[in-house]
Amino acid sequence: SNGRFHSDWCSMMYPRLVLARNLLRDDGVIFISIDDGEIHNLRKICDEIFGVSNFITNIIWQKKFSPQNDAKYFSQNHDNVLCYAKSILNFKRNFLPLTDEQKSRYKNPDNDPRGVWISGDCSVGRVTEKDCYPITTPSGRVVYPSSGNSWRFSKANMDKLIADNRIWFGENGDNVPRVKRFLSETNQGLVPISIWYHDEVGHTQSASQELKKLFDDTAYFDYPKPVGLIKKCLQIATDTDSIILDFFSGSATTAHAVMQLNAEDGGKRKFIMVQLPEVCAEGTEAAKAGYKNICEIGKERIRRAGDAIKSE
């Protein structure tokens, strides 16, 4: 209803983001969750404060798993999570751990003593004459890289890999060669992608369910973020001793995610939660339960989440 709505929003965000940048470590990053309404303005503000060159990515989070049938035009099933570094030259991105589903793809059809493995392509999309040599399969068939490609490895390195049983020619020994990649040697993990699906990080309904579970199946807070969403940000951008600041902390999902990740990897991350004491409206479930403002809900969540993580 306010004709200066966008201007007011920018005026509110700008000094907070300047402060956030000043508080960041030189290798630190900021994640900002936002819908499509102000993302165009937020990008401009962040480009000015952090610098265009320090923009890392815009993550698309699938916040809903089914269409909203009463939507006027499109069902808005995603939010954005902007990521900026204080200095992109100092930021070192972590790899993500393999999921159980991804680990299940590793097999050992030849009973290799090094354990389970998956196979990868031995060719690359370039033509280098010296890397277009013939390879004789165990069945006696001679193969070359496909048109427009070369072998990934030099002839000398390919011979070493074959001798070390790191090249797979299929169960009959007649297939095009593929390189074996052992799970035991996969210590880097996965490069994060910019689309985060609800089945990986949670959605708005699962976030509400997480909160209700802590508060005896009662909804005291609208639109919390799922723990998995924040935890993924932490896995990508933090060390085990990082300090995480959330200055729009709401129901304190970030604190919950920090404690959860610490429990999983033995980390000693610390969190600082900041939230204006917005009053819980009279007649709401939160007000009926004695919570005067959002901060009290967040503090109680931290206590309950900590107890639940300890017991688990």
Side-chain angles (χ1 to χ4, degrees):
S1 62
N2 181 357
R4 292 183 57 80
F5 173 83
H6 296 286
S7 176
D8 291 346
W9 186 88
C10 290
S11 298
M12 182 272 292
M13 286 298 295
Y14 193 95
R16 287 164 172 78
L17 289 170
V18 170
L19 177 60
R21 184 193 176 279
N22 292 343
L23 291 171
L24 276 176
R25 277 188 354 187
D26 288 341
D27 62 348
V29 294
I30 185 170
F31 292 91
I32 313 169
S33 175
I34 190 166
D35 63 20
D36 284 346
E38 294 289 348
I39 188 172
H40 52 298
N41 288 324
L42 183 61
R43 282 288 300 266
K44 292 181 177 69
I45 293 172
C46 288
D47 283 348
E48 179 176 325
I49 293 171
F50 293 92
V52 176
S53 62
N54 289 315
F55 170 72
I56 296 175
T57 192
N58 176 24
I59 299 160
I60 302 301
W61 166 44
Q62 186 187 18
K63 67 178 181 179
K64 295 179 183 176
F65 57 88
S66 58
Q68 187 176 340
N69 292 324
D70 60 351
K72 187 174 181 180
Y73 299 113
F74 283 78
S75 175
Q76 200 69 16
N77 280 38
H78 78 276
D79 267 354
N80 308 279
V81 182
L82 289 184
C83 183
Y84 279 81
K86 185 170 187 177
S87 170
I88 203 163
L89 297 177
N90 293 323
F91 171 55
K92 292 180 174 59
R93 182 262 296 135
N94 301 324
F95 290 94
L96 291 169
L98 294 174
T99 65
D100 290 339
E101 189 276 329
Q102 289 159 341
K103 290 178 182 177
S104 71
R105 299 174 192 168
Y106 287 76
K107 309 292 183 183
N108 194 0
D110 61 347
N111 295 315
D112 195 302
R114 289 164 290 200
V116 294
W117 50 270
I118 56 174
S119 65
D121 199 342
C122 277
S123 61
V124 290
R126 55 173 168 74
V127 178
T128 306
E129 189 173 346
K130 66 182 178 61
D131 293 332
C132 292
Y133 51 85
I135 295 176
T136 303
T137 70
S139 68
R141 187 166 72 99
V142 177
V143 295
Y144 287 86
S146 58
S147 177
N149 290 274
S150 306
W151 294 125
R152 185 178 298 274
F153 312 104
S154 67
K155 179 70 167 64
N157 285 336
M158 180 66 82
D159 290 342
K160 290 178 183 177
L161 291 169
I162 293 173
D164 194 28
N165 191 26
R166 287 178 177 267
I167 299 297
W168 174 244
F169 291 96
E171 293 185 6
N172 298 322
D174 192 50
N175 291 357
V176 171
R178 292 179 65 83
V179 62
K180 292 159 70 172
R181 305 192 188 281
F182 295 93
L183 180 59
S184 59
E185 298 173 353
T186 306
N187 52 16
Q188 283 190 316
L190 299 171
V191 174
I193 65 173
S194 59
I195 300 177
W196 294 2
Y197 297 101
H198 71 83
D199 56 351
E200 298 172 354
V201 298
H203 45 78
T204 51
Q205 284 188 28
S206 67
S208 295
Q209 291 161 5
E210 288 171 347
L211 194 56
K212 287 171 70 176
K213 183 180 177 182
L214 288 175
F215 285 90
D216 305 319
D217 205 35
T218 306
Y220 291 141
F221 188 86
D222 295 329
Y223 310 117
K225 296 288 188 296
V227 172
L229 177 72
I230 308 301
K231 192 173 79 170
K232 193 164 187 174
C233 296
L234 301 176
Q235 288 174 316
I236 291 168
T238 70
D239 301 323
T240 55
D241 62 349
S242 291
I243 298 173
I244 294 92
L245 167 65
D246 185 343
F247 54 95
F248 287 98
S249 64
S251 67
T253 303
T254 298
H256 190 164
V258 169
M259 293 188 291
Q260 183 69 53
L261 185 57
N262 281 344
E264 292 174 9
D265 67 6
K268 298 188 182 300
R269 300 170 187 84
K270 298 176 182 178
F271 56 79
I272 301 170
M273 299 292 102
V274 180
Q275 174 61 48
L276 291 174
E278 297 177 25
V279 175
C280 296
E282 190 175 337
T284 60
E285 292 297 328
K288 291 176 186 176
Y291 296 106
K292 296 178 181 178
N293 55 57
I294 292 175
C295 301
E296 291 185 1
I297 298 173
K299 286 189 283 186
E300 183 62 19
R301 179 184 190 167
I302 292 170
R303 286 188 282 266
R304 294 190 181 208
D307 289 341
I309 290 167
K310 280 182 182 178
S311 65
E312 290 168 4

